[in-house]
Amino acid sequence: KQEVTQIPAALSVPEGENLVLNCSFTDSAIYNLQWFRQDPGKGLTSLLLIQSSQREQTSGRLNASLDKSSGRSTLYIAASQPGDSATYLCAVSLFSGGYNKLIFGAGTRLAVHP
Amino acid sequence: DTAVSQTPKYLVTQMGNDKSIKCEQNLGHDTMYWYKQDSKKFLKIMFSYNNKELIINETVPNRFSPKSPDKAHLNLHINSLELGDSAVYFCASSATDLYEQYFGPGTRLTVT
């Protein structure tokens, strides 16, 4: 059974710091891994998607890496800003019953203060 | 333009009632999903449809019945609502089950 764990559960940092959010998964047979952002009371916004054959993806100040063999992914946020405050969710795509489905971690709640 | 929309945004109802949540996507995607986010914020898939055909049906009480009238719409009907059904329900879509998923804003269901 695929389990996704995110560490830390919560993080509070001053503005300007570089951050690393961690995601680990128990079954390395994933199709892809997706990082999402969720603002309070809102839906999920897709940040980055890494295919299983890729090692990393970058978008602006965000960089996500994937080490499938060790079951780990990290989301690196450079020069954090108060607007980055949100919950960050990691999800792996698991092939089951002929189709792929996303298995989510519990998220890391990030607060960036001025 | 809203890519994935859900109605209603909030739903407050009493135990035993029947209610429906609607979802529409204008992205031209073939696959749509329903997720449940419980009070601990844990997000879990409930159902998935591909081209109006049910492809994923997790261990969900049969009081929950999804329906996809066409590729762009996926509705969720819940019978005999229980307190434990209180949660935020998210709809999502993707080109196929292999690709990036796009989420709606969620429907917060409160059962009293």
Side-chain angles (χ1 to χ4, degrees), chain B residues 26-76:
Chain B
N26 62 7
L27 297 167
H29 288 165
D30 284 346
T31 308
M32 296 185 72
Y33 313 81
W34 278 113
Y35 288 87
K36 179 180 180 180
Q37 189 171 44
D38 60 26
S39 57
K40 295 181 180 177
K41 307 297 184 186
F42 200 65
L43 200 66
K44 191 170 181 183
I45 190 166
M46 300 173 68
F47 302 103
S48 176
Y49 271 75
N50 186 62
N51 262 321
K52 302 193 297 176
E53 178 188 346
L54 180 67
I55 59 173
I56 293 175
N57 184 351
E58 293 294 288
T59 309
V60 178
N62 57 15
R63 298 182 294 104
F64 290 78
S65 52
K67 280 191 182 164
S68 181
D70 56 59
K71 260 183 14 172
H73 296 85
L74 180 61
N75 303 322
L76 183 65

Side-chain angles (χ1 to χ4, degrees), chain A residues 32 34 38 46 99-101, chain B residues 37 58 97-98 100-101:
Chain A
N32 59 45
Q34 207 167 345
Q38 184 174 24
S46 179
Y99 294 95
N100 279 290
K101 62 180 181 182
Chain B
Q37 189 171 44
E58 293 294 288
D97 65 315
L98 301 176
E100 190 173 9
Q101 292 190 21

Side-chain angles (χ1 to χ4, degrees), chain A residues 12-23:
Chain A
S12 180
V13 299
E15 183 176 5
E17 278 204 7
N18 299 325
L19 309 171
V20 175
L21 308 182
N22 297 293
C23 173

Side-chain angles (χ1 to χ4, degrees), chain A residues 1-14:
Chain A
K1 180 187 172 187
Q2 178 73 274
E3 291 183 0
V4 181
T5 304
Q6 291 188 245
I7 295 173
L11 189 59
S12 180
V13 299

Side-chain angles (χ1 to χ4, degrees), chain A residues 23-25 33 65-74:
Chain A
C23 173
S24 62
F25 44 95
L33 183 145
S65 67
L66 174 64
D67 184 342
K68 211 174 84 157
S69 59
S70 67
R72 294 171 192 262
S73 176
T74 60

Side-chain angles (χ1 to χ4, degrees), chain A residues 59-101:
Chain A
S59 175
R61 292 182 296 107
L62 305 178
N63 175 278
S65 67
L66 174 64
D67 184 342
K68 211 174 84 157
S69 59
S70 67
R72 294 171 192 262
S73 176
T74 60
L75 179 67
Y76 177 81
I77 304 176
S80 59
Q81 303 170 357
D84 294 330
S85 299
T87 296
Y88 290 81
L89 296 164
C90 164
V92 298
S93 179
L94 177 69
F95 192 74
S96 173
Y99 294 95
N100 279 290
K101 62 180 181 182

